Amino acid sequence: MSRRQRGPWSAGIGHAEQLLFCASLAAGLVFAVPDPASAQDTGLSKSELVRLVVSSTTPDEKVQTVSRRCLSFVPTEGDWSDLANLGASPELVAAAQECARAAQAVRIRLTATDITVRAGDSTGVTVTLSQAGDPLQGQTVTLSGSGGAGAGVRLSRTTDGRGRANFRLPAGTVLGAARYTVAASNTSLDGPTRITVRTAAAAPARAVPEPASLELDAGGDPPEVSVSVEDRFGNPVSGADLDLAAGSGTAPVIASATTDATGAASLTLADGAMPEEDATWELRSGDAVIATLPVRIRDAAPAPAAEVGVAGAAAAAGGDRPPGESAVDAAIRDGRDSLEDEDYVAAETLFRDALRQSPRRSDAQKGLAASLLAQNRIEEAITWYEVATRQAPEDADAWSGLGQAYAAAGRRDDAAAALARAQQIDPTREELTTEIADLGRPPGSATGAAWGGGTYDNAESGGIRRAEIDVRFSPALAARVGWDRSLAPHSPELVRGPDEWDSWFAGASFSYGTGGRLETALDFGQRSQGFGELAEGSELKQNVYRLTQTIRFSDDPSGSMIKIGGYLGRWFDRDDWVVFSRFKAPIGGDLSFLASGSYGETIGTNWVETGRHADKDGRVYAGVAWENEKGLALQPVIGVGRIDSERSDELTGTLLDLLLEGAVPVTRGADIRLFFRHQRPPGSEAFTVIALGFGLKVGWAGG
């Protein structure tokens, strides 16, 4: 009989030898078969299945065990043949085949299937796919919506290395529910595939009192005030706790109520809460004042006139407005002026005040979105631009702004579609043609920076200390070139001692993997070491090479990451080498934790007579990095190290290194940078370096 490749336990065994093998295997394993009634509900391994087949349990018990526990592996064609040769019944083989089919199914897990979100917000949903217990990477997942905010929505994502695809779903601005169906290309899914997103009212934004004002008799019965509460989109807000205060600031609360399902509530003053003079009451929801109510007491001295309506809008809009201009129009006008003056925080406040009074004003919605986008609050800006396009679907400015926000979020296809819609509405906007074309090209940017400064107590060190240009040709490919004189802000372990090293460098990096989370960078260059104490003008040149591997743990560029790498410097006689690692992790808000370590061997220094001796240099650094959405940044780091020198005990000891970097944005794409270093190396006086830099960034195609 010809030999056939079978399962691992019988590969290459002839028929007679196989029967003998199976008999001996059965004799050795039959007593190790677990009692089917007490077997754990975990999948049967290959060896457990063999023991079960050759065991003395009844055929029905064998089938029941396979059906209940299933398999922890996917059998091959050879495995099925081996099972038959071992004497497995057709019923047992059928049960195992059913388990194998189940193992091949693509299982889906959703982080949530029924979500309630406030109007105007959005929610995140993660879809996880697996097969045979392993994450399914590279699978295209499509999410199709219907009803409410989901009408016409179709989103596609590709699963990452953990089998996950992340979606962001808008809640819309109208109360109701949207339903989404998850599907995967060319496969069926085992598990729940429906997601319901229910839109609930946002926070109370305004209230309409009934009556709009009160005229009471001194000492009369306490009145009842009815109010209707709405969010900024005009939706009724149910379950909102309301307080009626007898004035502003710390005025006492004189009535409380909770809105019903229609957003209505009735407030009745308690006995003894009647005012003795004219006043303006405030209706509050939490800390927010959502309406004012003028109260006049008959026969009392009149109080200064108070405008009825949502508190804050008139004050924000200013008192100097043209005759006939409403408070809403004044707030929007002043908001636009603030945008032009680049006072984006004030613009946001003004547009929000306008929306409290008139939630459906699309010009206020666009203005708020623009102020948020200018503050780099991209997801909030997208939400408000989407609201504006629904409120005014023929507004080209709203669609153009939405396209800009999508582009800032990296959603290039969505951005191109939004800009195309804007151009369709207003064909005269020829500039959109270029923007749409740019979105079809890989995004890129060029960043240039230069630092000038000096080393304290070294009069020869003043001048340009560093200059570099970084060019990103696409999300995956970047290159850089530069010159440095002992600042080395990205390589602190290369600096020891106060004197300057002149060096130039060039390099490139390539990003790959899911979401570009992996990046490999290679740099090369040359350093020049001067020897002023030995011979005026003499120097040595060192060819240098640097390899760095970056691993990011999320698609967010500001998320956790680790870098590992090595540095090699080729002298004429011996080589410098250093291995290093860097770690960064967000710890809350705009703050991240930084840590790094290095160890290597360097040949001499340029501030002592050199005998080409080797110094062992090991260091650790720790610090924090703070950067807000406007680009203001501060990064203090402290490092300590141990130097062991072959040449002299004076050069052996502890090294202390203090570093501080900062950035202050001047305008969009330009900033001023600070570099400070104080180092105390063994065998040398402590020194301080201070440098200021200027950076400029130019992007294209959305880069």
Side-chain angles (χ1 to χ4, degrees), residues 39-346:
Q40 298 179 351
D41 290 329
T42 56
L44 291 165
S45 66
K46 194 172 295 187
S47 60
E48 287 176 324
L49 183 59
V50 170
R51 291 199 298 267
L52 179 66
V53 170
V54 301
S55 70
S56 60
T57 56
T58 67
D60 287 345
E61 289 177 330
K62 295 177 182 179
V63 172
Q64 291 173 5
T65 299
V66 172
S67 299
R68 185 182 71 252
R69 295 183 59 188
C70 267
L71 309 179
S72 65
F73 68 102
V74 179
T76 64
E77 289 299 324
D79 295 337
W80 295 120
S81 178
D82 289 344
L83 284 176
N85 291 333
L86 286 170
S89 67
E91 292 79 10
L92 189 147
V93 172
Q97 289 175 338
E98 180 62 30
C99 287
R101 282 191 290 271
Q104 290 297 311
V106 176
R107 300 187 181 277
I108 179 175
R109 188 174 73 252
L110 304 174
T111 51
T113 57
D114 198 318
I115 312 168
T116 299
V117 188
R118 285 188 170 189
D121 290 342
S122 60
T123 183
V125 175
T126 299
V127 178
T128 304
L129 301 184
S130 61
Q131 191 173 44
D134 297 323
L136 189 60
Q137 182 179 1
Q139 180 71 45
T140 300
V141 180
T142 302
L143 191 148
S144 303
S146 62
V153 172
R154 183 177 175 84
L155 306 173
S156 294
R157 300 288 188 273
T158 302
T159 55
D160 59 18
R162 294 180 292 178
R164 297 178 179 178
N166 299 311
F167 294 89
R168 198 79 194 170
L169 306 179
T173 61
V174 180
L175 304 188
R179 291 172 177 82
Y180 298 88
T181 302
V182 182
S185 59
N186 302 319
T187 187
S188 59
L189 300 177
D190 181 13
T193 59
R194 298 292 180 89
I195 303 169
T196 300
V197 178
R198 306 182 190 278
T199 302
R206 71 171 186 173
V208 179
E210 180 61 38
S213 62
L214 295 175
E215 188 169 332
L216 307 175
D217 294 324
D221 295 332
E224 182 175 279
V225 179
S226 297
V227 294
S228 297
V229 179
E230 299 177 344
D231 64 11
R232 66 179 187 269
F233 306 106
N235 299 310
V237 182
S238 62
D241 294 327
L242 307 177
D243 291 323
L244 184 62
S248 60
T250 59
V253 174
I254 55 178
S256 298
T258 301
T259 58
D260 59 19
T262 66
S266 296
L267 299 104
T268 303
L269 271 65
D271 292 337
M274 288 287 290
E276 297 180 355
E277 57 184 11
D278 292 357
T280 299
W281 294 348
E282 289 184 348
L283 184 64
R284 302 170 182 169
S285 176
D287 294 331
V289 177
I290 59 175
T292 56
L293 182 63
V295 179
R296 180 176 179 273
I297 305 300
R298 294 186 181 92
D299 299 327
E307 183 177 344
V308 181
V310 179
D320 298 330
R321 58 176 186 254
E325 184 181 42
S326 69
V328 175
D329 290 334
I332 293 173
R333 171 175 52 79
D334 289 348
R336 289 170 177 164
D337 291 342
S338 295
L339 278 178
E340 292 181 3
D341 295 338
E342 298 185 358
D343 190 350
Y344 304 123
V345 175

Side-chain angles (χ1 to χ4, degrees), residues 448-454 461 463-470 480-491 494-495 501-505 523 661 673 675 691-694:
W451 286 261
S461 68
I464 300 297
R465 299 297 297 266
R466 182 179 175 91
E468 64 178 288
I469 297 176
D470 296 86
R480 59 195 156 272
V481 63
W483 174 87
D484 182 83
R485 175 172 288 178
S486 288
L487 291 189
H490 306 301
S491 306
L494 296 182
V495 177
W501 297 63
D502 286 335
S503 63
W504 65 265
F505 58 90
D523 296 271
E661 294 182 61
R673 306 180 185 186
F675 179 81
L692 287 176
F694 179 76

Side-chain angles (χ1 to χ4, degrees), residues 453-463 465 485 498-500 688:
T455 301
Y456 177 72
D457 207 20
N458 185 340
E460 302 297 325
S461 68
R465 299 297 297 266
R485 175 172 288 178
D499 293 291
E500 286 73 38
T688 300

Side-chain angles (χ1 to χ4, degrees), residues 160-162 164 166 511-520 549-556 560-562:
D160 59 18
R162 294 180 292 178
R164 297 178 179 178
N166 299 311
S511 300
Y512 52 96
T514 302
R517 296 184 185 179
L518 302 178
E519 182 180 79
T520 301
Q549 179 63 51
T550 301
I551 303 172
R552 295 182 175 86
F553 299 102
S554 72
D555 294 338
D556 183 1
S560 299
M561 59 177 286
I562 188 171

